[in-house]
Amino acid sequence: MSRRPLIAGNWKMNGLRADAKALASEIANLKKSDTADNCDLLVCPPFTVMETVGTAIEGSGVFLGAQTCHTAESGAHTGDISPVMLKDAGCTHVILGHSERRTDHGESDADVQAQSIAAHTNDLIAVICVGETESERESGNALQVVREQIIGSVPAGASAQNTVIAYEPVWAIGTGKVATPDDVQTMHADIRNTLKDKLGEDAANGMRILYGGSMKPANAKELLALADVDGGLIGGASLKSEDFWAIAQSCPSN
Ligand code: PGA
């Protein structure tokens, strides 16, 4: 089954308005001048620059996403942002369960599942993140840990249309260490099998599974060529338009 690659930029807590506008405009212009059109592009800026970025990418075909959302649609939740607000701000996607959210904010698989349901209810595509720690990998438990995260975080109503999975080994995020292509392919195939058991063949075969963790122009081509890798979730390298673009250009052509 052919799955259109998705290259997603996770800007994390980076970007003041002027920088965000410049970066988003550069990405939008590159996308507009693209003749290959071999992947979807998504940028996920912080909430404070959502509108700035949304305006800069308007009409370019680049998608807009957020980095988390609350489960409720509105109400007494100081400091939180609801999926309805994200939709209203022009978002089509939302990253959920990133390891930094799981660590910094204690988000559990059950929380991520509830957020994903809220995202789906509001017509947002959930980009659900999973990944093992270094000690879990070293003790030989990586596959089992990620299986449990998939089972616990992905809701029963997930489909290839409303959900993307991002496999991000925690030890590879922002460290410059990258999982070997063999380990990445083994993990992605295992995730797809777990999705088959949970959601059925069609959803599992159609669902995009991204790799994230120190993906850069220099390693992107090899990773993106793997059979079960359908794109990337990019942190550091998404903050430079030329690097983000070089990664997008590394997707296999259709
Ligand atoms: P990195 O971050 O590319 O800087 O490793 C990836 C992520 O955390 O999504």
Side-chain angles (χ1 to χ4, degrees):
M1 164 166 311
S2 93
R3 294 173 292 266
R4 184 170 162 81
L6 170 66
I7 300 297
N10 175 11
W11 292 12
K12 307 192 180 186
M13 198 170 70
N14 295 293
L16 304 181
R17 279 182 298 170
D19 312 327
K21 185 175 175 186
L23 176 57
S25 305
E26 286 162 20
I27 293 168
N29 287 334
L30 287 163
K31 176 73 180 165
K32 280 192 229 161
S33 68
D34 185 21
T35 47
D37 190 33
N38 52 359
C39 66
D40 290 338
L41 277 191
L42 165 68
V43 290
C44 302
F47 296 130
T48 48
V49 296
M50 198 62 87
E51 188 159 6
T52 305
V53 171
T55 304
I57 62 174
E58 206 168 347
S60 68
V62 177
F63 294 106
L64 183 66
Q67 300 172 18
T68 186
C69 74
H70 198 272
T71 54
E73 301 200 340
S74 64
H77 301 286
T78 303
D80 282 314
I81 303 284
S82 83
V84 179
M85 293 167 168
L86 297 182
K87 194 77 194 160
D88 185 51
C91 290
T92 48
H93 295 65
V94 56
I95 299 171
L96 297 171
H98 188 281
S99 70
E100 288 149 17
R101 299 290 313 173
R102 291 177 186 261
T103 304
D104 295 354
H105 299 274
E107 291 180 2
S108 65
D109 289 336
D111 293 328
V112 177
Q113 183 172 128
Q115 291 164 347
S116 302
I117 292 168
H120 292 159
T121 305
N122 290 285
D123 207 17
L124 290 164
I125 297 171
V127 180
I128 300 176
C129 302
V130 294
E132 81 286 356
T133 63
E134 189 149 40
S135 62
E136 288 164 343
R137 173 149 296 267
E138 278 168 2
S139 57
N141 293 327
L143 292 171
Q144 188 55 34
V145 165
V146 171
R147 261 177 226 145
E148 282 164 20
Q149 288 177 335
I150 292 284
I151 291 165
S153 304
V154 176
S159 68
Q161 288 70 41
N162 68 16
T163 302
V164 173
I165 304 296
Y167 166 59
E168 299 201 302
V170 177
W171 49 270
I173 295 175
T175 58
K177 295 188 207 167
V178 191
T180 65
D182 275 358
D183 284 346
V184 173
Q185 173 54 28
T186 301
M187 179 62 83
H188 280 229
D190 198 74
I191 291 172
R192 207 175 295 289
N193 269 331
T194 307
L195 291 169
K196 264 181 206 156
D197 293 344
K198 191 173 165 103
L199 305 171
E201 292 263 338
D202 286 355
N205 286 334
M207 196 171 286
R208 291 181 287 188
I209 306 177
L210 315 184
Y211 171 79
S214 298
M215 193 185 267
K216 310 274 179 229
N219 59 28
K221 199 166 182 174
E222 193 176 20
L223 292 163
L224 293 168
L226 298 168
D228 284 290
V229 174
D230 311 309
L233 180 56
I234 326 295
S238 74
L239 298 172
K240 283 197 192 132
S241 58
E242 64 271 24
D243 286 355
F244 189 57
W245 189 247
I247 293 171
Q249 297 295 98
S250 306
C251 289
S253 40
N254 311 316

